[in-house]
């Protein structure tokens, strides 16, 4: 990832009040989506972003809804990876 890149971590034992780092991952995919939206709106955009979903079983209370802007742009894509 380049300078200005955003990297968020999600883990089943994470905490949605955490920073989303490797050491302090988020717990839910929904919170990761929302945190990424917030960071990009706070001036970290345009920035490429990666959401790293760590191993485990993630239960959803509702579907994870992504809209076109959640995918980023050609110059600053958003990648969700396991």
């Amino acid at each position: 990832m380049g300078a200005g890149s955003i990297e968020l971590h999600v883990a089943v034992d994470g905490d949605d009040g955490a920073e989303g780092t490797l050491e302090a991952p988020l717990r839910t995919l929904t919170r990761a989506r929302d945190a990424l939206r917030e960071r990009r709106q706070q001036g970290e955009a345009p920035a490429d972003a990666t959401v790293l979903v760590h191993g485990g079983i993630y239960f959803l209370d509702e579907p994870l809804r992504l809209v076109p802007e959640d995918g980023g742009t050609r110059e600053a894509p958003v990648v969700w990876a396991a």
Side-chain angles (χ1 to χ4, degrees), residues 2-6 36 40 44-50 68-79:
S5 296
I6 299 170
L36 183 56
R40 295 181 100 205
E44 293 187 44
D48 60 309
T50 303
E69 49 268 17
D70 291 321
T73 64
R74 180 178 296 249
E75 297 78 24
V78 175
V79 176

Side-chain angles (χ1 to χ4, degrees), residues 1-80:
M1 292 192 2
S5 296
I6 299 170
E7 182 175 278
L8 292 175
H9 292 262
V10 183
V12 293
D13 61 348
D15 177 350
D16 277 347
E19 293 290 319
T21 62
L22 177 60
E23 298 79 17
L26 299 166
R27 180 171 177 79
T28 65
L29 302 175
T30 301
R31 180 63 193 127
R33 177 204 60 202
D34 294 346
L36 183 56
R37 287 177 180 174
E38 292 164 9
R39 286 177 143 193
R40 295 181 100 205
Q41 289 175 353
Q42 292 172 356
E44 293 187 44
D48 60 309
T50 303
V51 178
L52 296 168
V53 182
H54 296 246
I57 298 173
Y58 294 83
F59 295 96
L60 303 176
D61 293 331
E62 58 186 45
L64 177 65
R65 298 196 188 280
L66 301 173
V67 296
E69 49 268 17
D70 291 321
T73 64
R74 180 178 296 249
E75 297 78 24
V78 175
V79 176
W80 291 65

